[in-house]
Amino acid sequence: MTKQAIVFRYGHRIIRDERVTSHCCLVARALGADKIIIHGNKDTELEKTIQEINSKWGGRFTVEFAPDWKKGLKNLKKQKYSLVHLTMYGIPINKIQQKIRKENKTAIIIGSQKVEKEVFELADYNVSIGAQPHSEIAAIAVMLDRIFQGKEFEKKFANAKLKIKPSKKSKIIEKTR
Amino acid sequence: MTKQAIVFRYGHRIIRDERVTSHCCLVARALGADKIIIHGNKDTELEKTIQEINSKWGGRFTVEFAPDWKKGLKNLKKQKYSLVHLTMYGIPINKIQQKIRKENKTAIIIGSQKVEKEVFELADYNVSIGAQPHSEIAAIAVMLDRIFQGKEFEKKFANAKLKIKPSKKSKIIEKTR
């Protein structure tokens, strides 16, 4: 069973991709990934946003930057991550999910601008979350949910200042410290 | 079993929310919803984008606009939609999904700016896709995947000009007409 998942965001462009990449970070964090590695230049604004979220809502999710994607991916291979590249051209998730769940450590790769052919080749799995154009943000979410099979929502976020008490009709936030 | 799902996007702001709302539309379409209703002013750019996607990739996904959200939601109730409001304050999806799957017609409501209290009250279900802040785009995706249980990816998109042939390592697009 997959014990650890991280996300690798390929081709982040500062300004143009800011909001989408920030959604990618938040989704990775909220759906059980430990880390996101962003291919591109260091984006201190983004780092700050995630630090603020961690400090309020807990957990140890981290953001790293990889200026060279090829080195970044090869490095993950060395660390025994299985590389799962999400692309509408890949093998349908319904067909391949059982195999992926058996991997110990998974790095989910998602692109933004045009993805190089070598990413397809380096990947252990090229997987489609539907063979229709949609959103890398949604693709990460479905992939993590399929890997962790719902257990990601039961994960504890340590040292949170705020916590939500689930409610049928209201907003209930508890301060924990 | 749920036969039909649509998405209702609350509080869309032209320009500021453009890219996020466009992701919401594409995700709704790709993950089996029939329609998105956008609360806000008519956004012809967005309509055009979706028409172009339909014309290339098939299917009959539609975009509508509802200037008055309250009328829009009450109208959906009249049409026997069960209203599923996605909010981090709601009941965890893992707990409530079986009940929601029994609904015939589901309207998934997602907010962007601050959501009015009355939305919580009008909703038949207030549901959390994790009790952590993340992304409405991801929330729609997980909700639709949980409702349709993977079958959304087997849906045919009629009259597509382009079709993808799933592949382990390549990009294969077929022209169908």
XYZ file of all heavy atoms in Angstrom, chain A residues 75-160:
690
model
N 16.328 12.391 -9.538
C 16.565 12.385 -8.110
C 15.459 11.607 -7.367
O 15.729 10.813 -6.461
C 16.618 13.838 -7.632
C 17.369 13.976 -6.333
O 17.988 13.026 -5.871
N 17.283 15.145 -5.730
N 14.227 11.819 -7.787
C 13.107 11.090 -7.166
C 13.216 9.594 -7.437
O 12.921 8.766 -6.571
C 11.769 11.630 -7.681
C 11.384 13.031 -7.198
C 10.113 13.508 -7.889
C 11.191 13.051 -5.685
N 13.635 9.252 -8.637
C 13.822 7.826 -8.966
C 14.857 7.196 -8.018
O 14.664 6.090 -7.530
C 14.306 7.685 -10.404
C 13.186 7.840 -11.428
C 13.369 6.844 -12.576
C 12.127 6.826 -13.445
N 11.990 5.649 -14.270
N 15.943 7.931 -7.808
C 16.993 7.437 -6.902
C 16.441 7.214 -5.493
O 16.856 6.305 -4.787
C 18.147 8.443 -6.828
C 19.211 8.208 -7.897
C 20.414 9.135 -7.674
C 21.011 9.546 -9.021
N 21.541 10.918 -9.015
N 15.501 8.068 -5.120
C 14.892 7.938 -3.790
C 13.754 6.906 -3.770
O 12.947 6.875 -2.850
C 14.350 9.294 -3.332
C 15.420 10.349 -3.056
C 14.785 11.725 -2.853
O 13.921 11.906 -1.988
N 15.189 12.709 -3.645
N 13.678 6.107 -4.833
C 12.716 4.988 -4.929
C 11.247 5.431 -5.047
O 10.326 4.686 -4.663
C 12.840 4.030 -3.727
C 14.254 3.549 -3.441
C 14.553 2.284 -4.199
C 15.959 1.766 -3.880
N 16.576 1.096 -5.038
N 11.054 6.647 -5.533
C 9.676 7.033 -5.848
C 9.274 6.406 -7.169
O 10.051 6.384 -8.123
C 9.543 8.553 -5.985
C 9.452 9.256 -4.658
C 10.586 9.787 -4.055
C 8.232 9.374 -3.996
C 10.527 10.423 -2.825
C 8.146 10.006 -2.767
C 9.291 10.524 -2.192
O 9.207 11.150 -0.974
N 8.056 5.921 -7.226
C 7.494 5.509 -8.495
C 6.852 6.753 -9.124
O 6.089 7.474 -8.477
C 6.490 4.395 -8.202
O 5.387 4.506 -9.018
N 7.202 7.038 -10.384
C 6.747 8.286 -11.017
C 5.433 8.070 -11.773
O 5.367 7.311 -12.744
C 7.806 8.811 -11.981
C 9.215 9.069 -11.424
C 10.083 9.782 -12.462
C 9.182 9.876 -10.137
N 4.395 8.748 -11.330
C 3.072 8.635 -11.934
C 2.740 9.954 -12.635
O 2.424 10.950 -11.983
C 2.007 8.325 -10.863
C 0.616 8.266 -11.482
C 2.326 7.023 -10.152
N 2.860 9.964 -13.943
C 2.628 11.186 -14.712
C 1.172 11.237 -15.168
O 0.705 10.348 -15.879
C 3.580 11.192 -15.928
C 3.354 12.322 -16.866
N 3.439 12.194 -18.235
C 3.034 13.618 -16.630
C 3.193 13.371 -18.801
N 2.935 14.236 -17.860
N 0.478 12.288 -14.756
C -0.926 12.420 -15.129
C -1.037 13.159 -16.466
O -0.577 14.289 -16.604
C -1.704 13.165 -14.047
C -1.633 12.555 -12.639
C -2.532 13.326 -11.682
C -1.983 11.080 -12.638
N -1.626 12.495 -17.434
C -1.777 13.060 -18.769
C -2.997 12.442 -19.437
O -3.250 11.246 -19.269
C -0.527 12.775 -19.640
O -0.861 12.958 -21.027
C -0.021 11.352 -19.465
N -3.741 13.244 -20.169
C -4.943 12.709 -20.815
C -4.614 11.623 -21.848
O -5.504 10.926 -22.310
C -5.767 13.835 -21.438
C -5.088 14.560 -22.571
S -5.928 16.118 -23.074
C -7.352 15.519 -23.956
N -3.337 11.471 -22.197
C -2.937 10.482 -23.197
C -2.622 9.121 -22.585
O -2.366 8.165 -23.316
C -1.707 10.987 -23.958
C -1.958 12.289 -24.665
C -1.545 13.504 -24.111
C -2.639 12.315 -25.874
C -1.803 14.707 -24.752
C -2.902 13.520 -26.522
C -2.479 14.708 -25.953
O -2.743 15.893 -26.583
N -2.611 9.032 -21.276
C -2.130 7.822 -20.617
C -3.167 6.712 -20.473
O -4.254 6.748 -21.053
N -2.803 5.714 -19.682
C -3.673 4.565 -19.391
C -4.742 5.001 -18.381
O -4.423 5.650 -17.390
C -2.818 3.416 -18.795
C -1.691 3.007 -19.757
C -3.679 2.216 -18.426
C -2.140 2.456 -21.089
N -6.009 4.639 -18.641
C -7.084 5.075 -17.734
C -6.848 4.677 -16.271
O -6.465 3.538 -15.998
C -8.318 4.367 -18.291
C -8.014 4.152 -19.736
C -6.531 3.914 -19.805
N -7.083 5.603 -15.397
C -6.900 5.385 -13.963
C -7.655 4.144 -13.458
O -7.132 3.387 -12.641
C -7.309 6.652 -13.155
C -7.197 6.446 -11.644
C -8.701 7.157 -13.500
C -5.829 6.284 -11.137
N -8.865 3.918 -13.979
C -9.641 2.755 -13.525
C -8.900 1.437 -13.788
O -9.069 0.475 -13.057
C -11.000 2.689 -14.231
C -11.937 3.820 -13.816
O -11.636 4.575 -12.894
N -13.062 3.961 -14.503
N -8.107 1.417 -14.852
C -7.406 0.184 -15.218
C -6.126 -0.023 -14.415
O -5.703 -1.137 -14.197
C -7.020 0.235 -16.703
C -8.163 -0.080 -17.628
C -7.667 -0.450 -19.012
C -8.877 -0.654 -19.932
N -8.504 -0.587 -21.339
N -5.473 1.074 -14.032
C -4.111 0.974 -13.514
C -4.022 1.219 -12.004
O -2.990 0.991 -11.383
C -3.205 1.954 -14.317
C -1.710 1.608 -14.213
C -3.436 3.400 -13.920
C -1.266 0.525 -15.091
N -5.142 1.623 -11.389
C -5.035 2.079 -10.002
C -4.567 0.990 -9.028
O -3.819 1.284 -8.090
C -6.341 2.712 -9.529
C -7.528 1.789 -9.487
C -8.803 2.520 -9.103
O -8.799 3.714 -8.833
N -9.909 1.810 -9.078
N -4.989 -0.222 -9.267
C -4.606 -1.275 -8.306
C -3.100 -1.501 -8.275
O -2.519 -1.740 -7.218
C -5.326 -2.572 -8.646
C -6.778 -2.531 -8.128
C -7.421 -3.884 -8.150
O -7.375 -4.551 -9.170
N -8.019 -4.291 -7.041
N -2.500 -1.393 -9.437
C -1.044 -1.539 -9.532
C -0.343 -0.375 -8.816
O 0.613 -0.586 -8.069
C -0.647 -1.559 -11.013
C 0.431 -2.562 -11.315
C 0.629 -2.730 -12.806
C 2.064 -3.169 -13.089
N 2.377 -3.135 -14.535
N -0.846 0.821 -9.027
C -0.216 2.006 -8.424
C -0.332 1.974 -6.898
O 0.588 2.354 -6.187
C -0.822 3.303 -9.006
C -0.462 3.421 -10.492
C -0.337 4.535 -8.242
C -1.123 4.577 -11.220
N -1.457 1.469 -6.418
C -1.655 1.399 -4.958
C -0.634 0.502 -4.274
O -0.421 0.604 -3.070
C -3.056 0.871 -4.652
C -4.126 1.914 -4.762
C -5.478 1.318 -4.400
N -6.558 2.185 -4.836
C -7.692 1.758 -5.367
N -7.905 0.470 -5.537
N -8.628 2.623 -5.719
N -0.059 -0.412 -5.041
C 0.943 -1.317 -4.452
C 2.303 -0.660 -4.286
O 3.176 -1.191 -3.611
C 1.069 -2.575 -5.310
C -0.129 -3.500 -5.131
C 0.004 -4.755 -5.956
C -1.324 -5.523 -5.957
N -1.569 -6.171 -7.258
N 2.503 0.487 -4.927
C 3.783 1.187 -4.823
C 3.903 1.814 -3.431
O 2.934 2.340 -2.893
C 3.893 2.290 -5.886
C 3.771 1.804 -7.314
C 5.019 1.070 -7.788
O 6.016 1.005 -7.042
O 4.979 0.544 -8.923
N 5.096 1.774 -2.918
C 5.367 2.270 -1.580
C 5.382 3.800 -1.542
O 4.730 4.439 -0.721
C 6.719 1.697 -1.145
C 6.910 1.734 0.334
O 5.936 1.754 1.101
N 8.150 1.766 0.761
N 6.119 4.396 -2.470
C 6.279 5.848 -2.533
C 5.940 6.336 -3.941
O 6.510 5.853 -4.920
C 7.726 6.235 -2.220
C 8.126 6.038 -0.758
C 9.636 6.013 -0.591
C 10.253 7.393 -0.682
N 11.740 7.354 -0.522
N 5.034 7.271 -4.027
C 4.543 7.728 -5.325
C 4.793 9.217 -5.512
O 4.481 10.009 -4.620
C 3.022 7.460 -5.406
O 2.818 6.056 -5.297
C 2.441 7.952 -6.711
N 5.366 9.586 -6.658
C 5.469 11.007 -7.015
C 4.532 11.258 -8.189
O 4.692 10.669 -9.262
C 6.894 11.370 -7.378
N 3.534 12.089 -7.945
C 2.541 12.403 -8.979
C 3.041 13.611 -9.772
O 3.235 14.685 -9.205
C 1.180 12.714 -8.333
C 0.698 11.493 -7.541
C 0.163 13.151 -9.371
C -0.490 11.786 -6.638
N 3.252 13.418 -11.065
C 3.758 14.515 -11.907
C 2.602 15.139 -12.684
O 1.824 14.428 -13.324
C 4.789 13.994 -12.930
C 5.874 13.177 -12.222
C 5.396 15.145 -13.728
C 6.718 12.359 -13.183
N 2.491 16.458 -12.600
C 1.487 17.147 -13.422
C 2.149 18.311 -14.153
O 3.001 18.994 -13.619
C 0.334 17.700 -12.576
C 0.874 18.276 -11.254
C -0.717 16.671 -12.294
C 0.350 19.583 -10.931
N 1.718 18.499 -15.384
C 2.305 19.542 -16.218
C 1.482 20.814 -16.200
O 0.359 20.830 -15.724
N 2.035 21.884 -16.696
C 1.205 23.058 -16.960
C 1.433 23.459 -18.410
O 0.566 23.291 -19.241
C 1.486 24.196 -15.988
O 2.823 24.588 -16.022
N 2.610 23.928 -18.757
C 2.858 24.158 -20.174
C 3.158 22.827 -20.849
O 3.046 21.776 -20.237
C 3.988 25.173 -20.364
C 5.254 24.804 -19.578
C 6.225 25.972 -19.456
O 5.879 27.022 -18.941
N 7.431 25.765 -19.931
N 3.492 22.877 -22.114
C 3.751 21.654 -22.900
C 4.801 20.774 -22.211
O 5.865 21.241 -21.823
C 4.255 22.070 -24.280
C 3.665 21.248 -25.421
C 3.991 21.896 -26.746
C 4.275 20.871 -27.820
N 3.294 19.796 -27.945
N 4.476 19.507 -22.073
C 5.366 18.582 -21.363
C 6.317 17.903 -22.365
O 5.902 17.453 -23.424
C 4.530 17.526 -20.608
C 5.420 16.463 -19.983
C 3.686 18.202 -19.534
N 7.581 17.826 -22.032
C 8.591 17.190 -22.890
C 8.337 15.683 -23.005
O 7.870 15.053 -22.058
C 9.991 17.367 -22.275
C 10.408 18.785 -22.021
C 11.167 19.387 -23.203
O 11.513 18.632 -24.139
O 11.395 20.612 -23.175
N 8.711 15.157 -24.151
C 8.548 13.729 -24.414
C 9.261 12.883 -23.346
O 8.791 11.814 -22.973
C 9.128 13.425 -25.795
C 8.466 12.246 -26.462
C 8.827 12.078 -27.921
C 8.370 10.707 -28.377
N 9.471 9.835 -28.782
N 10.385 13.389 -22.886
C 11.178 12.625 -21.927
C 10.451 12.393 -20.600
O 10.753 11.430 -19.891
C 12.519 13.329 -21.688
C 13.664 12.322 -21.571
C 15.003 13.013 -21.354
O 15.225 14.101 -21.931
O 15.813 12.455 -20.591
N 9.517 13.273 -20.263
C 8.730 13.052 -19.040
C 7.907 11.772 -19.188
O 7.852 10.937 -18.277
C 7.814 14.264 -18.731
C 6.921 13.984 -17.532
C 8.634 15.526 -18.494
N 7.300 11.596 -20.373
C 6.545 10.370 -20.653
C 7.449 9.138 -20.519
O 7.016 8.090 -20.049
C 5.975 10.407 -22.080
C 4.771 11.303 -22.244
C 4.912 12.682 -22.389
C 3.487 10.769 -22.268
C 3.805 13.499 -22.550
C 2.371 11.586 -22.433
C 2.533 12.957 -22.572
N 8.687 9.301 -20.962
C 9.604 8.155 -20.947
C 10.149 7.856 -19.552
O 10.264 6.704 -19.159
C 10.754 8.402 -21.935
C 10.296 8.165 -23.372
C 11.141 8.919 -24.396
O 12.196 9.472 -24.014
O 10.715 8.970 -25.572
N 10.437 8.910 -18.811
C 10.947 8.723 -17.450
C 9.874 8.155 -16.504
O 10.186 7.450 -15.559
C 11.441 10.051 -16.881
C 12.884 10.461 -17.201
C 13.138 11.891 -16.745
C 13.887 9.518 -16.534
N 8.626 8.473 -16.785
C 7.539 8.063 -15.885
C 7.402 6.542 -15.838
O 7.573 5.861 -16.843
C 6.226 8.683 -16.332
N 7.113 6.024 -14.654
C 6.807 4.600 -14.534
C 5.390 4.323 -15.013
O 5.092 3.258 -15.538
C 6.962 4.163 -13.068
C 8.390 4.337 -12.589
O 9.265 3.624 -13.091
O 8.627 5.228 -11.749
N 4.515 5.289 -14.814
C 3.136 5.172 -15.292
C 2.716 6.499 -15.923
O 2.901 7.549 -15.314
C 2.171 4.900 -14.139
C 2.510 3.704 -13.287
C 3.272 3.843 -12.133
C 2.045 2.429 -13.624
C 3.571 2.745 -11.331
C 2.341 1.326 -12.838
C 3.102 1.484 -11.689
O 3.387 0.403 -10.906
N 2.145 6.441 -17.119
C 1.445 7.603 -17.674
C -0.047 7.298 -17.553
O -0.528 6.312 -18.122
C 1.850 7.831 -19.127
C 3.276 8.338 -19.233
O 3.555 9.474 -18.878
N 4.195 7.491 -19.692
N -0.731 8.119 -16.796
C -2.097 7.782 -16.368
C -3.067 8.900 -16.751
O -2.784 10.074 -16.524
C -2.148 7.613 -14.832
C -3.544 7.298 -14.359
C -1.171 6.542 -14.381
N -4.212 8.516 -17.315
C -5.231 9.534 -17.596
C -6.316 9.531 -16.531
O -6.812 8.486 -16.127
C -5.861 9.309 -18.970
O -6.796 8.260 -18.917
N -6.630 10.728 -16.063
C -7.787 10.935 -15.190
C -8.884 11.435 -16.129
O -9.254 12.605 -16.159
C -7.463 11.977 -14.097
C -6.169 11.634 -13.344
C -8.634 12.135 -13.111
C -6.194 10.368 -12.526
N -9.366 10.525 -16.959
C -10.258 10.910 -18.054
C -9.440 11.319 -19.269
O -8.388 11.930 -19.127
N -9.939 10.969 -20.456
C -9.218 11.295 -21.691
C -9.793 12.561 -22.314
O -9.905 12.689 -23.527
C -9.290 10.118 -22.653
N -10.196 13.480 -21.469
C -10.758 14.764 -21.901
C -9.907 15.867 -21.279
O -9.377 15.696 -20.183
C -12.206 14.893 -21.389
C -13.200 13.951 -22.048
C -13.582 14.408 -23.444
O -13.606 15.590 -23.736
N -13.852 13.443 -24.319
N -9.813 17.006 -21.943
C -9.045 18.101 -21.333
C -9.757 18.622 -20.091
O -10.966 18.823 -20.112
C -9.027 19.181 -22.427
C -10.168 18.862 -23.323
C -10.400 17.394 -23.234
N -9.041 18.772 -18.972
C -9.659 19.469 -17.844
C -8.605 20.199 -17.017
O -8.040 21.177 -17.542
C -10.613 18.577 -17.021
C -10.078 17.358 -16.365
N -9.694 17.336 -15.054
C -9.889 16.098 -16.826
C -9.313 16.104 -14.731
N -9.416 15.329 -15.794
N -8.290 19.745 -15.815
C -7.504 20.580 -14.917
C -6.509 19.744 -14.138
O -6.859 18.693 -13.590
C -8.461 21.271 -13.944
O -7.779 21.772 -12.828
N -5.272 20.214 -14.063
C -4.264 19.498 -13.285
C -4.641 19.470 -11.800
O -4.299 18.523 -11.083
C -2.869 20.093 -13.503
C -2.717 21.584 -13.218
C -3.059 22.483 -14.406
O -4.139 22.278 -15.023
O -2.262 23.397 -14.709
N -5.351 20.486 -11.356
C -5.771 20.551 -9.945
C -6.715 19.395 -9.626
O -6.578 18.697 -8.616
C -6.485 21.900 -9.665
C -5.561 23.071 -10.000
C -6.975 21.975 -8.229
C -6.280 24.404 -10.124
N -7.677 19.183 -10.519
C -8.638 18.089 -10.349
C -7.953 16.738 -10.484
O -8.280 15.788 -9.761
C -9.749 18.214 -11.385
N -7.006 16.659 -11.401
C -6.320 15.387 -11.634
C -5.542 14.936 -10.388
O -5.612 13.775 -9.991
C -5.392 15.504 -12.840
N -4.842 15.876 -9.760
C -4.134 15.549 -8.507
C -5.116 15.008 -7.477
O -4.856 14.009 -6.798
C -3.477 16.803 -7.874
C -2.427 17.418 -8.779
C -2.830 16.456 -6.531
C -1.884 18.738 -8.213
N -6.237 15.703 -7.349
C -7.217 15.342 -6.317
C -7.733 13.922 -6.521
O -7.753 13.117 -5.583
C -8.379 16.335 -6.320
N -8.136 13.612 -7.750
C -8.682 12.276 -8.006
C -7.586 11.216 -7.805
O -7.826 10.177 -7.188
C -9.296 12.190 -9.424
C -9.685 10.762 -9.768
C -10.513 13.113 -9.528
N -6.387 11.505 -8.272
C -5.294 10.531 -8.123
C -5.026 10.241 -6.648
O -4.938 9.069 -6.248
C -4.034 11.081 -8.799
C -2.898 10.081 -8.892
S -3.226 8.749 -10.075
C -3.117 7.300 -9.044
N -4.922 11.291 -5.833
C -4.656 11.078 -4.401
C -5.815 10.338 -3.733
O -5.602 9.440 -2.909
C -4.389 12.420 -3.704
C -3.020 13.055 -3.997
C -2.975 14.494 -3.484
C -1.873 12.250 -3.371
N -7.030 10.690 -4.113
C -8.198 10.027 -3.525
C -8.230 8.545 -3.918
O -8.574 7.684 -3.105
C -9.479 10.739 -3.972
C -10.699 10.320 -3.166
O -10.573 10.133 -1.942
O -11.792 10.159 -3.760
N -7.845 8.237 -5.140
C -7.812 6.846 -5.580
C -6.674 6.078 -4.891
O -6.809 4.900 -4.586
C -7.637 6.774 -7.100
C -8.818 7.319 -7.904
C -10.057 6.464 -7.752
N -11.100 6.895 -8.670
C -11.331 6.324 -9.869
N -10.608 5.296 -10.277
N -12.300 6.778 -10.643
N -5.535 6.748 -4.696
C -4.414 6.077 -4.018
C -4.769 5.779 -2.563
O -4.614 4.664 -2.086
C -3.131 6.948 -4.077
C -2.532 6.940 -5.483
C -2.087 6.436 -3.071
C -1.280 7.811 -5.626
N -5.253 6.801 -1.867
C -5.494 6.647 -0.427
C -6.899 6.140 -0.098
O -7.208 5.864 1.052
C -5.216 7.963 0.294
C -3.764 8.374 0.297
C -3.373 9.613 -0.186
C -2.786 7.518 0.783
C -2.029 10.002 -0.182
C -1.440 7.895 0.796
C -1.060 9.137 0.301
N -7.752 6.054 -1.100
C -9.101 5.489 -0.958
C -9.916 6.104 0.177
O -10.562 5.391 0.941
C -9.000 3.970 -0.798
C -8.370 3.298 -2.027
C -8.129 1.810 -1.826
O -9.066 1.035 -1.854
N -6.895 1.423 -1.608
N -9.835 7.413 0.276
C -10.649 8.122 1.263
C -9.968 8.313 2.610
O -10.379 9.158 3.397
N -8.922 7.524 2.856
C -8.257 7.613 4.166
C -7.544 8.947 4.359
O -7.250 9.355 5.484
C -7.255 6.464 4.334
C -7.942 5.113 4.417
C -7.114 4.100 5.204
C -7.832 2.777 5.213
N -7.742 2.078 3.902
N -7.253 9.633 3.235
C -6.568 10.940 3.337
C -7.393 11.944 4.136
O -6.842 12.866 4.736
C -6.253 11.494 1.932
C -7.444 11.988 1.102
C -8.179 10.896 0.337
O -7.998 9.711 0.675
O -8.953 11.230 -0.598
N -8.709 11.757 4.166
C -9.546 12.727 4.882
C -9.618 12.430 6.378
O -10.247 13.167 7.130
C -10.951 12.788 4.265
C -10.965 13.262 2.838
C -11.665 12.577 1.860
C -10.278 14.414 2.470
C -11.678 13.017 0.538
C -10.275 14.860 1.151
C -10.975 14.152 0.186
N -9.024 11.340 6.765
C -8.996 11.022 8.199
C -7.632 11.342 8.827
O -7.436 11.186 10.026
C -9.366 9.557 8.406
C -10.886 9.366 8.308
C -11.300 8.082 7.616
O -10.615 7.060 7.768
O -12.334 8.117 6.891
N -6.715 11.799 7.983
C -5.370 12.155 8.427
C -5.417 13.330 9.423
O -6.176 14.272 9.234
C -4.565 12.557 7.184
C -3.097 12.802 7.413
C -2.392 13.169 6.088
C -1.151 14.004 6.368
N -0.378 14.304 5.147
N -4.596 13.232 10.462
C -4.512 14.339 11.430
C -3.487 15.362 10.960
O -2.427 14.996 10.454
C -4.059 13.804 12.797
C -4.988 12.770 13.406
C -6.157 13.418 14.139
C -7.164 12.375 14.621
N -8.294 12.154 13.709
N -3.786 16.622 11.129
C -2.839 17.698 10.846
C -2.336 18.238 12.188
O -3.053 18.970 12.877
C -3.505 18.794 10.005
C -3.706 18.389 8.567
C -4.765 17.577 8.202
C -2.810 18.790 7.590
C -4.938 17.169 6.876
C -2.967 18.397 6.266
C -4.038 17.593 5.912
N -1.109 17.837 12.547
C -0.582 18.129 13.884
C -0.405 19.629 14.106
O -0.106 20.377 13.183
C 0.754 17.413 14.064
N -0.598 20.034 15.354
C -0.337 21.415 15.786
C -1.182 22.477 15.100
O -0.717 23.599 14.879
C 1.147 21.770 15.616
C 2.025 20.887 16.485
O 1.697 20.637 17.639
N 3.100 20.386 15.923
N -2.407 22.134 14.738
C -3.296 23.130 14.133
C -3.770 24.125 15.189
O -3.997 23.747 16.338
C -4.488 22.428 13.503
